[in-house]
Amino acid sequence: MLRRDGADPHAQPLAYSKVPQEAPPRLHKAEPEYAPTQQPEPFHEPVPRTHAPSPRGRRGTPPPPPPAAPPRADRAPRPRRKRHPFRWFLVFLLVLVVASVAAVINLDGKLSRIDALAGYADQVGNTPGTNWLLVGSDGRGGLSSEQEQELATGGDVGPERTDTIMLVHIPKSGRTTLVSLPRDSYVSIPGHGKDKLNAAFAFGGPQLLVQTVEGATGLRIDHYAQIGFAGFAGIVDTLGGIDVCVPKPIDDPLAGINLEAGCQKLNGPESLGFVRSRATALADIDRMNNQRLFMAALLKKATSGATLANPFTLWPLAADTAGSLKVDEDDHIWDLGRLGWAMRGDTVATTVPIGGFDDVDGSGNVLLWDKTKASAFFEALANDRSIPEELLTR
């Protein structure tokens, strides 16, 4: 018997589960066979060809780079330190401030202090602005015989007197005024009648001089500074000399100078003789004019940029100045600094209005103030106003 499936008719029929299944017909073309799975390989940048000779056997192929050393497992990589330039700037600024404060304290300790501004009955009341009394004395304390000869001090001439007396008025606003008070001014000295102004210093020292000036001017003195011969010359030499335009030739053996007219540099002894000499036609009047010329030249050089920017000049100058001055008990180095700063610019330099000269028994030749003009002159300063031009002596 034939079977539909084309099998041998004599064979035993198979169970349904054992009948071979026909493969389903393919609806599409034969599917391509896939390549076997590949392992990824590391990629290396090609090494650029160099001009070095190629190794033997591999011409044109550069040698491979040496393998990098593996990182050490026993030490972690060190973190990179951050730079802090602003922190170092603050440290430098702090050191500078501390050093400056220490220097100021040191200089303040070098000042010699005296009781110059003592109170007294009927003392002049406070006046606006700030008033300094600057005194150059003929004190020879501490000078050797050689120094006295070099500075032409003339040896010991009795009680210490004042060669230079200047009143400085610093207003709340406006220009500072420098007033020369002639030492031969004929004024009332409390307890001693009328005499020359510098006699007040000989009679009662700085206290009586201040009291006499306050009574004569009507101005309250707020600060006092005094310097002697040696200190005066030392400050000039520390600055390397002072450039001064001498208006008239001066030949004064007593002051130790022989100066030609014209601009020139004066050393310490020459400067001292220049501000002390009266060997000119107008004597004491020329002397006061010379003192103001010198003061302007001294302050100009002491406050110049070249001096302030040079610590090798500035520090010796400050130390010599502080060591040479006598000030009131309540005065300090910063008060002197404010004085120098106020006088560095365009200062009004003048003298008290003069009325003439006279010979007085017991006092000799004295200088008289013009009472009317002097009253208006000092009244303007007492009210912190500018002095009228017609009252100024140029």
Side-chain angles (χ1 to χ4, degrees), residues 139-156 229-230:
R140 295 154 173 80
L143 292 179
S144 64
S145 57
E146 291 79 8
Q147 289 175 319
E148 288 183 355
Q149 183 176 1
E150 179 185 6
L151 299 176
T153 63
D156 191 3
F229 282 164

Side-chain angles (χ1 to χ4, degrees), residues 86-175:
F86 186 69
R87 180 184 301 173
W88 287 109
F89 173 75
L90 291 179
V91 171
F92 172 76
L93 188 61
L94 179 61
V95 171
L96 183 63
V97 171
V98 171
S100 300
V101 172
V104 170
I105 294 175
N106 178 268
L107 290 175
D108 192 59
K110 291 179 178 292
L111 292 172
S112 298
R113 291 182 166 83
I114 56 178
D115 187 12
L117 304 179
Y120 55 90
D122 300 325
Q123 186 176 11
V124 175
N126 289 325
T127 51
T130 303
N131 298 308
W132 279 83
L133 187 64
L134 306 181
V135 175
S137 74
D138 62 359
R140 295 154 173 80
L143 292 179
S144 64
S145 57
E146 291 79 8
Q147 289 175 319
E148 288 183 355
Q149 183 176 1
E150 179 185 6
L151 299 176
T153 63
D156 191 3
V157 292
E160 184 178 7
R161 294 187 176 235
T162 53
D163 264 20
T164 305
I165 305 173
M166 290 185 175
L167 175 66
V168 180
H169 177 75
I170 305 173
K172 292 182 179 179
S173 63
R175 301 164 65 187

Side-chain angles (χ1 to χ4, degrees), residues 213-242:
V213 171
E214 288 183 338
T217 64
L219 295 172
R220 179 71 170 265
I221 302 301
D222 303 299
H223 301 279
Y224 177 89
Q226 174 185 324
I227 190 169
F229 282 164
F232 187 94
I235 291 173
V236 175
D237 286 336
T238 300
L239 284 171
I242 299 296

Side-chain angles (χ1 to χ4, degrees), residues 271-289:
S271 299
L272 182 59
F274 179 68
V275 299
R276 292 180 58 218
S277 177
R278 293 191 289 181
T280 56
L282 298 179
D284 210 38
I285 295 178
D286 284 338
R287 182 174 179 269
M288 289 185 296
N289 291 334

